[in-house]
């Protein structure tokens, strides 16, 4: 039976090609994901370990802009240097720093643009940085740049460099260019080195450091140093050995990659699930074509177990071959993903491609097991064939009666799944989403089981249209599409699964996007938003500069503040009284917002209702700086998504803040005449053409909040493309097998006058009918799921309303039809080229 299985694989190479491709793509996705994440993790772990090679003890403080947590002072650092066995103790301070390119634009991606201090030892070198040109900054007014940033900005040693921190942009002289393994630079950001006093002035306060690293003398234990250093540290500081810190970072890296790994493997699983239908279809058709052969084997003594084992061995051969090719393709995919990250601005540390035993075993196990599992049912059917019955009918097809049990089971599962989806939508929240997910799984399985039954009535609806438009070719195509409901169902199921996911994601994404867009337009009157590209707070000087800018008619910050009322903590927005109503859409429900000018506060109506507060109440509060006082409620307003529950005058936020630097998150601007190039340029000029500050108009604001949804949709579409590609291969496979089975029939049709053009049209229409049928099922189920998941999120999204993207759904159906046309090209051409006399003689 082993030789028989091998002979059958070699005899049906062309017919098994599509199965090999489907398994190969799924295995490539799995192996590529595992190799890519293993390579990524290994590279970052090695980088992390290298960063702490010479670090015996690492000290970290949780500093702020207040006097409570000033960091590590010079005196403490000197005490650490005096500990027996300490070879060096280096203080570090860092924060945001953005570098402008020749066009004045920010180099890097904002959040990972950092500045730090250059801390040379006695030899004048800082062990964390290797200079390739010039030297480190040791005097005020000079900076050094990492090599990538200097290259992007076309800077050379001695050039003036415009650098922005949280305050006004300043010009420095470039003293040197260095290389580094700093994680921020590898993430696509930039690193600017200042002399230590300048960095301390910018990011903390003179004479203090945020962190420190300690080097050990030869032969001194890291743990011994740690034990002796800890008593010298301020109470807010923590210390650990360099090895412990490297190990912790390695765990953090592994944890961070787990979510990426899980997401990619989930899409690989979808692709393989779709591939199961193609594989099962292929083996079902191969067995149907070899019915007489299998019957003869049974007649000469082969047992049912041997016949079944023969088919499963064929599947194992196919799976093993596909796994080998897929694994090699996966290695290429992992290499390509690594290169793609570099092109997108990410920089992965150098390191080898990691091919772990887990990746190899997983790839081959998945490829072989999926193929054998998909072939199990066809193998079981083959083993049950009675020799006499099989010899009398080669191409016996399943009757409608044989589908009764299947349809009953499918109906029950579909109803259970639908009930779960509806119940989850009604429940809402996290538990509702879990119920929807479970219901979706059962509903999808149920619909897949029912698809053969659904194919007859659904395709019957379009049969008159096909006959009227395409004549006999259309009539024959519609009849052929339902001739074997199981085959049609399996082929359509693959497309239905992919389009269910694509449609569901599209409905959900468009709905959420419109809700977010509505939230933006309904809550904002401002023409411009100014913020830091890094996400940090703006400096007070930006507010002062903008208040003097031409064309600015109203201006209000959104300054963060906190206080405690009756044991509960609340956030507050410090705003400019009088101007806040002009930049935000605020609907007053009681009192007047003009009371902000008198030092009173406004509260969101939902918050006020929840705590029983009303206009005129006086609330005892404890401010962020621990001072106690009272706040009088001057107004309540309908909640605005861009403001905190409490709105207070900016002067109050300044007065009671524990920070020495106001936390101005954003500045909102209303301009004379609305948004215009002249007004925008006036704002940019007022900010000193600062590359670290972004100026967005209302469209930019809408794009910022809705952009991540479009990005997520595009990523999902890209990942689901693999499953759809396998579904297309399934259509090609089904048609090719169908043409092979129907050679005699096609020969007879040719003999009685059906020309080659109409034969091609018949095959093409059959493909389109099957593809569109699967697409209709998938789109319908996808809309249902998109609605249900959206309902579970609606309570957390103001203005939520279901949006069905009819244009996208129409495109999906058109693409399904196009898939059918393209998938039919080869089978249709093969059918048209058949020699009619040879075909008529074929059994």
């Amino acid at each position: 039976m082993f030789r028989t299985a091998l002979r059958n694989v070699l005899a049906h190479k062309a017919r098994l090609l599509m199965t090999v491709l489907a398994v190969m793509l799924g295995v490539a996705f799995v192996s590529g994901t595992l190799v890519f994440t293993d390579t990524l993790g290994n590279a970052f772990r090695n980088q992390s370990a290298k960063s702490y090679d010479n670090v015996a003890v690492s000290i970290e403080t949780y500093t702020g802009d207040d006097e409570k947590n000033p960091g590590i002072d010079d005196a403490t650092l000197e005490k650490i240097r005096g500990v027996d066995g300490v070879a060096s103790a280096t203080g570090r301070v860092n924060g945001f720093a953005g570098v402008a390119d020749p066009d004045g634009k920010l180099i890097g991606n904002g959040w990972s643009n950092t500045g730090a201090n250059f801390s040379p030892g006695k030899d004048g070198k800082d062990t964390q940085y290797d200079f390739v040109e010039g030297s480190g900054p040791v005097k005020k007014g000079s900076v050094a740049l990492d090599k990538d940033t200097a290259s992007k900005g076309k800077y050379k040693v001695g050039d003036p460099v415009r650098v922005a921190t949280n305050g006004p942009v300043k010009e420095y002289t470039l003293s040197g260019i260095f290389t580094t393994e700093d994680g921020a630079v590898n993430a696509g950001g930039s690193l600017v080195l200042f002399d230590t006093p300048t960095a301390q002035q910018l990011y903390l306060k003179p004479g203090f450091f945020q962190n420190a690293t300690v080097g050990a003398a030869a032969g001194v234990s890291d743990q011994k140093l740690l034990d002796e250093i800890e008593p010298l540290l301020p109470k807010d500081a923590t210390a650990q050995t360099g090895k412990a810190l490297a190990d912790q970072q390695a765990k953090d890296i592994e944890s961070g990659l787990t979510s990426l790994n899980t997401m990619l493997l989930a899409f690989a699983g979808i692709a393989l699930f779709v591939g199961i239908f193609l594989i099962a279809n292929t083996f079902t058709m191969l067995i149907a074509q070899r019915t007489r052969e299998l019957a003869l084997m049974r007649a000469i003594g082969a047992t049912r177990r041997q016949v079944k084992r023969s088919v499963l061995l064929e599947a194992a051969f196919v799976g093993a071959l596909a796994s080998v090719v897929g694994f090699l393709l996966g290695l290429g995919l992992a290499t390509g993903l690594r290169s793609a990250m570099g092109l997108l601005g990410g920089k992965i540390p150098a390191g080898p491609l990691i091919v772990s035993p887990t990746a190899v075993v997983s790839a081959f196990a998945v490829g072989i097991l999926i193929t054998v599992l998909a072939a199990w049912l066809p193998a079981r059917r083959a083993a049950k064939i009675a020799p006499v019955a099989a010899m009398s009918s080669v191409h016996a097809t399943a009757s409608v009666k044989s589908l009764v049990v299947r349809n009953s089971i499918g109906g029950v599962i579909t109803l259970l799944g639908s009930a779960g989806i509806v119940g989850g939508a009604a429940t809402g929240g996290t538990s509702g989403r879990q119920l929807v997910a479970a219901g979706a799984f059962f509903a999808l399985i149920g619909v897949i089981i029912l698809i053969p039954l659904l194919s007859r009535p659904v395709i019957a609806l379009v049969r008159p249209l096909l006959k009227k438009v395409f004549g006999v070719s259309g009539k024959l195509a519609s009849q052929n599409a339902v001739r074997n409901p199981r085959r049609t169902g399996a082929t359509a199921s693959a497309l239905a699964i992919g389009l269910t996911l694509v449609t569901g994601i599209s409905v959900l994404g468009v709905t959420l996007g419109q809700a977010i867009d509505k939230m933006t337009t309904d809550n904002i009157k401002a023409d411009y938003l100014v913020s830091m590209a890094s996400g940090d707070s703006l400096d007070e000087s930006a507010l002062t500069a903008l208040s003097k800018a031409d064309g600015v008619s109203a201006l209000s910050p959104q300054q963060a503040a906190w206080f405690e009322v009756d044991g509960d903590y609340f956030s507050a927005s410090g705003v400019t009284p009088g101007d806040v109503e002009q930049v935000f859409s605020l609907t007053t429900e009681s009192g007047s917002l003009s009371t902000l000018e008198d030092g009173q506060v406004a509260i969101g109506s939902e918050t006020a209702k929840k705590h029983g507060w009303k206009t005129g109440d006086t609330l005892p509060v404890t401010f962020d700086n621990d001072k106690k006082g009272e706040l009088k409620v001057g107004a309540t307003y309908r909640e605005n998504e861009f403001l905190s529950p409490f709105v207070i005058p900016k002067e109050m936020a300044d007065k009671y803040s524990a920070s020495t630097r106001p936390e101005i998150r954003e500045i909102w601007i209303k301009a004379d005449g609305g948004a215009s190039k002249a007004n925008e340029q006036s704002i940019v000029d007022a900010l000193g053409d600062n590359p670290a500050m972004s100026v967005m108009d209302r469209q930019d604001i809408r794009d910022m909040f809705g952009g991540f949804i479009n990005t997520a949709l595009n990523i999902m579409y890209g990942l689901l493309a693999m499953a759809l590609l396998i579904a297309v291969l399934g259509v090609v496979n089904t048609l090719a097998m169908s043409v092979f089975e129907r050679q005699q029939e096609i020969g007879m049709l040719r003999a009685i006058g059906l020309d080659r053009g109409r034969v091609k049209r018949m095959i093409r229409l059959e493909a389109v009918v099957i593809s569109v049928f699967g697409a209709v099922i998938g789109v319908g189920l996808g809309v249902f799921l998109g609605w249900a998941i959206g309902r579970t999120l609606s309570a957390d999204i103001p203005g939520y309303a279901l949006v069905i993207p009819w244009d996208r759904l129409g495109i999906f159906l058109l693409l399904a039809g196009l898939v059918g046309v393209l998938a039919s090209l080869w089978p249709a051409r093969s059918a048209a080229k058949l020699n009619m006399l040879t075909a008529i003689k074929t059994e």
Side-chain angles (χ1 to χ4, degrees), residues 195-209:
D195 63 284
T196 296
T198 299
Q200 290 175 325
Q201 183 67 45
L202 287 171
Y203 301 125
L204 197 56
K205 60 185 298 185
F208 284 86
F209 298 94

Side-chain angles (χ1 to χ4, degrees), residues 180-194:
T180 178
E181 291 296 327
D182 186 275
V185 175
N186 286 328
S190 63
L191 178 58
V192 183
L193 295 182
F194 302 91

Side-chain angles (χ1 to χ4, degrees), residues 50-115:
K50 184 179 178 182
S51 300
Y52 295 101
D53 275 348
N54 300 315
V55 177
V57 177
S58 176
I59 305 166
E60 185 175 357
T61 63
Y62 300 93
T63 56
D65 294 330
D66 54 77
E67 299 295 332
K68 296 179 183 177
N69 303 309
I72 304 168
D73 59 16
D74 288 327
T76 302
L77 209 56
E78 283 302 318
K79 289 179 184 178
I80 293 172
R81 291 190 181 108
V83 172
D84 187 32
V86 170
S88 63
T90 305
R92 301 289 180 187
V93 61
N94 57 70
F96 170 76
V99 181
D101 65 13
D103 297 325
K105 302 297 182 182
L106 182 69
I107 297 174
N109 51 25
W111 60 268
S112 60
N113 291 344
T114 56

Side-chain angles (χ1 to χ4, degrees), residues 420-435:
I421 293 171
V422 173
T427 303
T430 302
S431 57
R433 286 190 287 276
Q434 292 172 348
L435 193 56

Side-chain angles (χ1 to χ4, degrees), residues 685-698:
D685 291 343
L687 294 171
D689 197 15
N690 192 321
M693 295 183 184
S694 65
V695 179
M696 294 182 284
D697 60 21
R698 296 189 70 179

Side-chain angles (χ1 to χ4, degrees), residues 739-759:
V739 168
F740 180 83
E741 280 184 2
R742 289 156 38 203
Q743 288 185 64
Q744 188 178 60
E745 176 187 316
I746 293 171
M748 290 293 294
L749 290 171
R750 289 289 316 283
I752 61 175
L754 195 68
D755 59 30
R756 290 184 175 180
R758 284 190 285 181
V759 169

Side-chain angles (χ1 to χ4, degrees), residues 69 122 169 223 399 528 609 665 727 729:
N69 303 309
K122 294 178 181 179
V169 64
Q223 187 61 47
S399 64
Y528 293 102
K609 183 179 179 182
R665 294 170 176 168
L729 294 177

